[in-house]
Amino acid sequence: MIGMTSYDLQACAGIPASTKQLNDTTQIYVYTGTHAQASYGGSTLIPIGDIATTIAQLGGGGGTTCSAVIRLDHDRVSDVHYTGDDDEVIGTDGVCSIITRGCARQPEGTMKSSAGGIFGPVSAFHPPKTPNQSAAGTYSTQSGGTILNTDKKSSDSVIIPRTQ
């Protein structure tokens, strides 16, 4: 989805649940999705539901919700993050596929290609590599005069004025 215009993003993923304008060139779109938890009928002979629930909990999966936080810089997707209880039994962020599935099934012309190898650079266990954000996409006039204080021994606050 990297490189996709906001028009193409909305055409394949729909209208975002919320938006936030960060600066003149950058905005955030938030999409939300839920995935119903599988339910199994009760059985006295073989407790299928109990077994499936235990496997999901021990495997770290069984998630049901996802929020996709998509950054647009100059009206193009520059970054995608997933949050929530969104892991499947195998893989991470699997519940989020309900949000981006339309974009993956019918790629838009403005998307960056993710081809490579038989299955491409995408995995159920890690996202594809993306380039760093542009300065315009991460800059805020409010934060321009300050920096993070990385000195662990300092008694100053964690945010300090930028020295010129």
Coordinates of all heavy atoms in Angstrom, one line a residue, residues 50-129:
D50 N -12.9 -26.2 24.1 CA -11.9 -26.0 25.1 C -10.5 -26.2 24.5 O -9.6 -25.4 24.8 CB -12.1 -27.0 26.3 CG -13.4 -26.7 27.0 OD1 -13.9 -25.6 26.9 OD2 -13.9 -27.6 27.7
I51 N -10.3 -27.2 23.7 CA -9.0 -27.4 23.1 C -8.6 -26.3 22.1 O -7.5 -25.8 22.2 CB -9.0 -28.8 22.3 CG1 -9.2 -29.9 23.2 CG2 -7.8 -28.9 21.4 CD1 -9.5 -31.3 22.6
A52 N -9.6 -25.8 21.3 CA -9.3 -24.7 20.4 C -8.9 -23.4 21.1 O -8.0 -22.7 20.8 CB -10.4 -24.5 19.4
T53 N -9.7 -23.1 22.2 CA -9.4 -21.9 23.0 C -8.1 -22.0 23.7 O -7.3 -21.0 23.7 CB -10.5 -21.8 24.1 OG1 -11.8 -21.7 23.4 CG2 -10.3 -20.5 24.9
T54 N -7.7 -23.2 24.2 CA -6.4 -23.3 24.8 C -5.3 -23.1 23.8 O -4.3 -22.5 24.1 CB -6.3 -24.7 25.5 OG1 -7.4 -24.9 26.5 CG2 -4.9 -24.9 26.2
I55 N -5.4 -23.7 22.7 CA -4.4 -23.6 21.6 C -4.2 -22.1 21.2 O -3.1 -21.6 21.1 CB -4.7 -24.4 20.4 CG1 -4.5 -25.9 20.8 CG2 -3.8 -24.1 19.2 CD1 -5.0 -26.9 19.7
A56 N -5.3 -21.4 21.0 CA -5.3 -20.0 20.7 C -4.6 -19.1 21.7 O -3.8 -18.3 21.4 CB -6.7 -19.5 20.4
Q57 N -4.9 -19.4 23.0 CA -4.3 -18.6 24.1 C -2.9 -18.9 24.3 O -2.1 -18.0 24.5 CB -5.1 -18.9 25.4 CG -6.5 -18.3 25.4 CD -7.3 -18.6 26.6 OE1 -6.9 -19.5 27.4 NE2 -8.4 -17.9 26.8
L58 N -2.5 -20.2 24.2 CA -1.1 -20.5 24.3 C -0.3 -20.1 23.1 O 0.9 -19.8 23.3 CB -0.9 -22.0 24.6 CG -1.5 -22.6 25.9 CD1 -1.3 -24.1 25.9 CD2 -0.7 -21.9 27.1
G59 N -0.9 -20.1 22.0 CA -0.2 -19.7 20.7 C 0.0 -18.2 20.6 O 0.6 -17.7 19.6
G60 N -0.7 -17.4 21.4 CA -0.6 -16.0 21.3 C -1.6 -15.4 20.3 O -1.6 -14.2 20.0
G61 N -2.4 -16.2 19.8 CA -3.4 -15.8 18.8 C -4.8 -15.6 19.4 O -5.0 -15.4 20.6
G62 N -5.7 -15.8 18.5 CA -7.1 -15.6 19.0 C -7.6 -14.2 19.1 O -8.6 -13.9 19.8
G63 N -6.9 -13.3 18.4 CA -7.3 -11.9 18.5 C -8.6 -11.6 17.7 O -9.0 -12.4 16.9
T64 N -9.2 -10.5 18.1 CA -10.5 -10.2 17.4 C -10.6 -8.8 16.9 O -11.5 -8.4 16.2 CB -11.6 -10.4 18.4 OG1 -11.4 -9.6 19.6 CG2 -11.7 -11.8 18.8
T65 N -9.6 -7.9 17.3 CA -9.7 -6.5 16.8 C -8.4 -6.0 16.2 O -7.4 -6.4 16.6 CB -10.1 -5.6 18.0 OG1 -9.1 -5.6 19.0 CG2 -11.4 -5.9 18.6
C66 N -8.6 -5.0 15.4 CA -7.4 -4.4 14.8 C -7.7 -2.9 14.4 O -8.8 -2.6 14.0 CB -7.0 -5.1 13.5 SG -5.6 -4.3 12.7
S67 N -6.7 -2.1 14.6 CA -6.8 -0.7 14.0 C -5.6 -0.6 13.1 O -4.5 -0.9 13.5 CB -6.7 0.3 15.2 OG -7.9 0.3 15.9
A68 N -5.8 -0.1 11.9 CA -4.8 0.2 11.0 C -4.6 1.7 11.0 O -5.5 2.4 10.7 CB -5.1 -0.3 9.6
V69 N -3.4 2.1 11.4 CA -3.0 3.5 11.5 C -2.1 3.8 10.2 O -1.0 3.3 10.2 CB -2.3 3.9 12.8 CG1 -2.0 5.3 12.8 CG2 -3.1 3.4 14.0
I70 N -2.7 4.6 9.3 CA -2.0 4.8 8.0 C -1.6 6.3 7.9 O -2.5 7.1 8.0 CB -2.9 4.4 6.9 CG1 -3.3 2.9 7.0 CG2 -2.3 4.7 5.5 CD1 -4.3 2.3 6.0
R71 N -0.3 6.5 7.7 CA 0.2 7.9 7.5 C 0.2 8.2 6.0 O 0.7 7.4 5.3 CB 1.6 8.0 8.1 CG 2.1 9.4 8.0 CD 3.6 9.5 8.3 NE 4.1 8.8 9.5 CZ 4.7 9.4 10.5 NH1 4.9 10.6 10.5 NH2 5.1 8.6 11.5
L72 N -0.3 9.3 5.7 CA -0.2 9.8 4.3 C 0.6 11.1 4.3 O 0.4 12.0 5.1 CB -1.6 10.2 3.8 CG -2.5 8.9 3.5 CD1 -3.4 8.7 4.6 CD2 -3.2 9.1 2.2
D73 N 1.6 11.1 3.5 CA 2.5 12.3 3.3 C 2.4 12.8 1.9 O 2.6 12.0 0.9 CB 4.0 11.8 3.6 CG 4.9 13.0 3.6 OD1 4.5 14.1 3.7 OD2 6.1 12.7 3.5
H74 N 2.0 14.0 1.7 CA 1.7 14.6 0.4 C 0.7 13.7 -0.3 O 0.9 13.4 -1.5 CB 3.0 14.7 -0.4 CG 3.9 15.8 0.1 ND1 4.9 15.5 1.1 CD2 4.0 17.1 -0.1 CE1 5.5 16.6 1.4 NE2 5.0 17.6 0.7
D75 N -0.4 13.3 0.4 CA -1.5 12.6 -0.2 C -1.1 11.2 -0.7 O -1.8 10.6 -1.5 CB -2.2 13.4 -1.3 CG -3.6 12.8 -1.5 OD1 -4.3 12.6 -0.5 OD2 -4.0 12.6 -2.7
R76 N 0.0 10.6 -0.2 CA 0.3 9.2 -0.5 C 0.7 8.5 0.7 O 1.2 9.0 1.7 CB 1.6 9.2 -1.4 CG 1.2 9.8 -2.8 CD 2.3 9.4 -3.8 NE 1.9 9.9 -5.1 CZ 1.4 9.1 -6.1 NH1 1.2 7.8 -5.8 NH2 1.1 9.6 -7.3
V77 N 0.3 7.2 0.8 CA 0.6 6.3 1.9 C 2.1 6.2 2.1 O 2.8 5.8 1.2 CB -0.1 4.9 1.8 CG1 0.3 4.0 2.9 CG2 -1.6 5.0 1.7
S78 N 2.6 6.6 3.3 CA 4.0 6.4 3.5 C 4.3 5.5 4.7 O 5.5 5.1 4.8 CB 4.6 7.8 3.9 OG 4.0 8.4 5.0
D79 N 3.3 5.1 5.4 CA 3.6 4.2 6.6 C 2.3 3.5 7.0 O 1.2 4.2 7.0 CB 4.1 5.0 7.7 CG 5.0 4.3 8.7 OD1 5.3 3.1 8.4 OD2 5.3 4.8 9.8
V80 N 2.3 2.3 7.4 CA 1.2 1.5 7.9 C 1.5 0.8 9.2 O 2.6 0.1 9.2 CB 0.7 0.5 6.9 CG1 -0.5 -0.3 7.4 CG2 0.3 1.1 5.5
H81 N 0.8 1.0 10.2 CA 1.0 0.3 11.5 C -0.3 -0.3 11.9 O -1.4 0.2 11.7 CB 1.4 1.3 12.6 CG 2.7 2.0 12.4 ND1 3.9 1.4 12.7 CD2 3.0 3.2 11.8 CE1 4.9 2.2 12.4 NE2 4.4 3.3 11.8
Y82 N -0.2 -1.5 12.6 CA -1.4 -2.2 13.1 C -1.3 -2.2 14.6 O -0.3 -2.5 15.2 CB -1.5 -3.6 12.5 CG -1.5 -3.7 11.0 CD1 -0.5 -4.3 10.3 CD2 -2.6 -3.1 10.4 CE1 -0.6 -4.4 8.9 CE2 -2.7 -3.2 9.0 CZ -1.7 -3.8 8.3 OH -1.8 -3.9 6.9
T83 N -2.5 -2.0 15.3 CA -2.5 -2.1 16.7 C -3.8 -2.9 17.1 O -4.7 -3.0 16.3 CB -2.6 -0.7 17.3 OG1 -3.8 -0.1 17.0 CG2 -1.4 0.2 16.9
G84 N -3.7 -3.4 18.3 CA -4.9 -4.1 18.9 C -4.6 -5.5 19.1 O -3.5 -6.0 19.0
D85 N -5.6 -6.2 19.5 CA -5.6 -7.7 19.8 C -5.7 -8.4 18.4 O -6.7 -8.9 18.1 CB -6.7 -8.0 20.7 CG -6.7 -9.5 21.1 OD1 -5.6 -10.1 21.0 OD2 -7.8 -10.0 21.5
D86 N -4.6 -8.3 17.6 CA -4.7 -8.6 16.2 C -3.9 -9.8 15.7 O -3.7 -10.0 14.5 CB -4.4 -7.4 15.4 CG -2.9 -6.9 15.6 OD1 -2.2 -7.5 16.5 OD2 -2.6 -5.9 15.0
D87 N -3.4 -10.6 16.6 CA -2.6 -11.8 16.2 C -3.4 -13.0 16.0 O -4.4 -13.2 16.8 CB -1.5 -12.1 17.2 CG -0.4 -11.0 17.3 OD1 -0.3 -10.2 16.3 OD2 0.4 -11.0 18.2
E88 N -3.1 -13.7 15.0 CA -3.7 -15.0 14.8 C -2.9 -16.1 15.5 O -1.8 -15.8 16.0 CB -3.8 -15.3 13.3 CG -4.7 -14.4 12.5 CD -6.2 -14.7 12.6 OE1 -6.5 -15.6 13.4 OE2 -7.0 -14.1 12.0
V89 N -3.4 -17.3 15.5 CA -2.6 -18.4 16.1 C -1.3 -18.6 15.4 O -0.3 -18.8 16.0 CB -3.4 -19.7 16.0 CG1 -2.6 -20.9 16.6 CG2 -4.7 -19.6 16.9
I90 N -1.3 -18.4 14.1 CA 0.0 -18.5 13.3 C 0.2 -17.1 12.7 O -0.7 -16.7 11.9 CB 0.0 -19.6 12.3 CG1 -0.1 -20.9 12.9 CG2 1.2 -19.5 11.4 CD1 -0.2 -22.1 12.0
G91 N 1.2 -16.4 13.1 CA 1.5 -15.1 12.5 C 1.0 -13.9 13.3 O 0.3 -14.1 14.3
T92 N 1.5 -12.8 12.9 CA 1.1 -11.5 13.6 C 0.2 -10.7 12.7 O 0.4 -10.7 11.5 CB 2.3 -10.8 14.1 OG1 3.1 -10.5 12.9 CG2 3.2 -11.6 15.1
D93 N -0.6 -9.8 13.3 CA -1.4 -8.9 12.6 C -2.4 -9.5 11.7 O -2.9 -8.9 10.7 CB -0.6 -7.8 11.9 CG 0.3 -7.1 12.8 OD1 -0.1 -6.8 14.0 OD2 1.4 -6.7 12.4
G94 N -2.7 -10.8 11.8 CA -3.6 -11.5 10.9 C -5.0 -11.0 10.9 O -5.7 -11.0 9.8
V95 N -5.5 -10.5 12.0 CA -6.9 -10.0 12.0 C -7.0 -8.7 11.2 O -8.0 -8.4 10.6 CB -7.3 -9.7 13.5 CG1 -8.6 -9.0 13.6 CG2 -7.3 -11.0 14.3
C96 N -5.8 -8.0 11.0 CA -5.8 -6.8 10.2 C -6.1 -7.0 8.7 O -6.3 -6.1 8.0 CB -4.5 -6.0 10.4 SG -4.3 -5.5 12.1
S97 N -6.0 -8.3 8.3 CA -6.2 -8.5 6.9 C -7.6 -8.2 6.4 O -7.8 -7.9 5.3 CB -5.9 -10.0 6.5 OG -6.9 -10.8 7.2
I98 N -8.5 -8.1 7.4 CA -9.9 -7.7 7.0 C -9.9 -6.3 6.6 O -10.8 -5.9 5.8 CB -10.9 -8.0 8.1 CG1 -10.6 -7.2 9.4 CG2 -11.0 -9.5 8.4 CD1 -11.5 -7.4 10.5
I99 N -9.0 -5.5 7.0 CA -9.0 -4.0 6.6 C -8.3 -3.8 5.3 O -8.8 -3.1 4.4 CB -8.2 -3.2 7.7 CG1 -9.0 -3.3 9.0 CG2 -8.0 -1.8 7.3 CD1 -8.3 -2.7 10.2
T100 N -7.2 -4.5 5.0 CA -6.4 -4.3 3.8 C -6.6 -5.3 2.7 O -6.0 -5.3 1.7 CB -4.9 -4.2 4.2 OG1 -4.6 -5.5 4.8 CG2 -4.6 -3.1 5.1
R101 N -7.5 -6.3 3.0 CA -7.7 -7.4 2.0 C -8.1 -6.8 0.6 O -7.6 -7.3 -0.4 CB -8.8 -8.3 2.5 CG -9.0 -9.5 1.7 CD -10.0 -10.5 2.3 NE -9.4 -11.0 3.6 CZ -10.1 -11.3 4.7 NH1 -11.4 -11.2 4.7 NH2 -9.5 -11.7 5.7
G102 N -9.0 -5.8 0.6 CA -9.4 -5.3 -0.7 C -8.3 -4.7 -1.5 O -8.2 -4.8 -2.7
C103 N -7.4 -4.1 -0.8 CA -6.2 -3.5 -1.5 C -5.2 -4.6 -2.0 O -4.6 -4.4 -3.0 CB -5.5 -2.5 -0.6 SG -6.5 -1.2 0.0
A104 N -5.1 -5.6 -1.2 CA -4.2 -6.7 -1.6 C -4.8 -7.5 -2.8 O -4.0 -8.0 -3.7 CB -3.9 -7.6 -0.4
R105 N -6.1 -7.7 -2.8 CA -6.7 -8.6 -3.8 C -6.7 -7.9 -5.2 O -6.6 -8.5 -6.2 CB -8.1 -9.0 -3.4 CG -8.1 -10.0 -2.3 CD -9.5 -10.5 -2.1 NE -9.5 -11.5 -1.1 CZ -10.6 -11.9 -0.4 NH1 -11.7 -11.3 -0.6 NH2 -10.5 -12.9 0.5
Q106 N -6.9 -6.6 -5.2 CA -6.9 -5.8 -6.4 C -6.0 -4.6 -6.3 O -6.5 -3.5 -5.9 CB -8.4 -5.4 -6.8 CG -8.4 -4.7 -8.1 CD -9.9 -4.3 -8.4 OE1 -10.8 -4.8 -7.8 NE2 -10.1 -3.5 -9.5
P107 N -4.7 -4.8 -6.5 CA -3.8 -3.7 -6.2 C -4.1 -2.5 -7.1 O -4.5 -2.7 -8.3 CB -2.4 -4.3 -6.6 CG -2.6 -5.8 -6.5 CD -4.0 -6.0 -6.8
E108 N -3.9 -1.3 -6.6 CA -4.1 -0.1 -7.3 C -2.8 0.3 -8.0 O -1.8 0.0 -7.6 CB -4.6 1.0 -6.3 CG -5.9 0.7 -5.6 CD -7.1 0.8 -6.5 OE1 -7.0 1.4 -7.6 OE2 -8.1 0.2 -6.2
G109 N -3.0 1.1 -9.1 CA -1.8 1.5 -9.9 C -0.8 2.3 -9.1 O 0.4 2.4 -9.5
T110 N -1.3 3.0 -8.1 CA -0.4 3.9 -7.3 C 0.4 3.2 -6.2 O 1.2 3.8 -5.5 CB -1.1 5.1 -6.8 OG1 -2.2 4.7 -5.9 CG2 -1.7 6.0 -7.9
M111 N 0.2 1.9 -6.0 CA 0.8 1.2 -4.9 C 2.3 0.8 -5.3 O 2.5 0.6 -6.5 CB 0.1 -0.2 -4.7 CG -1.2 0.0 -4.0 SD -2.1 -1.6 -3.8 CE -1.1 -2.5 -2.7
K112 N 3.1 0.7 -4.3 CA 4.5 0.2 -4.6 C 4.4 -1.3 -4.7 O 3.8 -2.0 -3.9 CB 5.4 0.6 -3.4 CG 6.8 0.1 -3.5 CD 7.6 0.5 -2.2 CE 9.0 0.0 -2.3 NZ 9.7 0.3 -1.1
S113 N 5.1 -1.8 -5.7 CA 5.1 -3.3 -5.9 C 5.8 -4.0 -4.8 O 6.8 -3.5 -4.3 CB 5.8 -3.6 -7.3 OG 5.9 -5.0 -7.4
S114 N 5.3 -5.1 -4.4 CA 5.9 -5.9 -3.3 C 6.3 -7.3 -3.9 O 6.4 -8.2 -3.1 CB 5.0 -6.1 -2.1 OG 3.9 -6.8 -2.5
A115 N 6.6 -7.4 -5.1 CA 7.0 -8.6 -5.7 C 8.4 -9.0 -5.3 O 9.2 -8.2 -4.9 CB 7.0 -8.5 -7.3
G116 N 8.6 -10.3 -5.4 CA 10.0 -10.9 -5.0 C 9.8 -12.3 -4.5 O 9.1 -12.5 -3.5
G117 N 10.4 -13.2 -5.1 CA 10.3 -14.6 -4.7 C 8.9 -15.2 -5.0 O 8.1 -14.5 -5.6
I118 N 8.7 -16.4 -4.6 CA 7.4 -17.0 -4.9 C 6.2 -16.3 -4.1 O 5.2 -16.1 -4.7 CB 7.4 -18.5 -4.5 CG1 8.5 -19.2 -5.3 CG2 6.1 -19.2 -4.6 CD1 8.8 -20.6 -4.9
F119 N 6.4 -16.0 -2.9 CA 5.4 -15.4 -2.1 C 5.6 -13.9 -1.8 O 4.9 -13.2 -1.1 CB 5.2 -16.1 -0.7 CG 4.9 -17.5 -0.9 CD1 5.8 -18.5 -0.6 CD2 3.6 -17.9 -1.3 CE1 5.4 -19.8 -0.8 CE2 3.3 -19.2 -1.5 CZ 4.2 -20.2 -1.2
G120 N 6.7 -13.3 -2.4 CA 7.0 -11.9 -2.2 C 7.7 -11.7 -0.9 O 8.0 -12.6 -0.1
P121 N 8.0 -10.4 -0.6 CA 8.7 -10.2 0.7 C 7.8 -10.1 1.9 O 8.2 -9.8 3.0 CB 9.3 -8.8 0.4 CG 8.3 -8.2 -0.5 CD 7.8 -9.3 -1.4
V122 N 6.5 -10.5 1.7 CA 5.6 -10.4 2.8 C 5.5 -11.7 3.6 O 5.6 -12.8 2.9 CB 4.2 -10.0 2.3 CG1 3.2 -9.9 3.4 CG2 4.3 -8.7 1.6
S123 N 5.4 -11.7 4.9 CA 5.4 -12.9 5.7 C 4.3 -12.7 6.7 O 4.0 -11.6 7.1 CB 6.8 -13.1 6.3 OG 6.7 -14.1 7.3
A124 N 3.9 -13.8 7.3 CA 2.9 -13.8 8.4 C 3.6 -13.4 9.7 O 3.0 -13.2 10.7 CB 2.2 -15.1 8.6
F125 N 4.9 -13.3 9.7 CA 5.7 -13.1 10.9 C 6.5 -11.7 10.9 O 7.0 -11.4 11.9 CB 6.7 -14.2 11.1 CG 5.9 -15.5 11.3 CD1 5.9 -16.4 10.2 CD2 5.3 -15.8 12.5 CE1 5.2 -17.6 10.4 CE2 4.6 -17.0 12.6 CZ 4.5 -17.9 11.5
H126 N 6.5 -11.0 9.8 CA 7.2 -9.7 9.8 C 6.6 -8.9 8.6 O 6.3 -9.5 7.5 CB 8.7 -9.8 9.7 CG 9.2 -10.5 8.5 ND1 9.4 -9.9 7.3 CD2 9.6 -11.8 8.2 CE1 9.8 -10.7 6.4 NE2 9.9 -11.9 6.9
P127 N 6.6 -7.6 8.7 CA 6.1 -6.8 7.6 C 7.2 -6.5 6.6 O 8.4 -6.8 6.9 CB 5.8 -5.4 8.3 CG 6.7 -5.4 9.5 CD 6.8 -6.8 9.9
P128 N 6.9 -6.1 5.4 CA 7.9 -5.8 4.4 C 8.7 -4.6 4.8 O 8.2 -3.7 5.6 CB 7.1 -5.6 3.1 CG 5.8 -5.2 3.6 CD 5.6 -5.9 4.9
K129 N 9.9 -4.4 4.3 CA 10.7 -3.2 4.7 C 10.1 -2.0 4.0 O 9.7 -2.1 2.8 CB 12.2 -3.5 4.3 CG 12.9 -4.5 5.1 CD 14.3 -4.6 4.8 CE 14.9 -5.7 5.6 NZ 16.3 -5.6 5.9

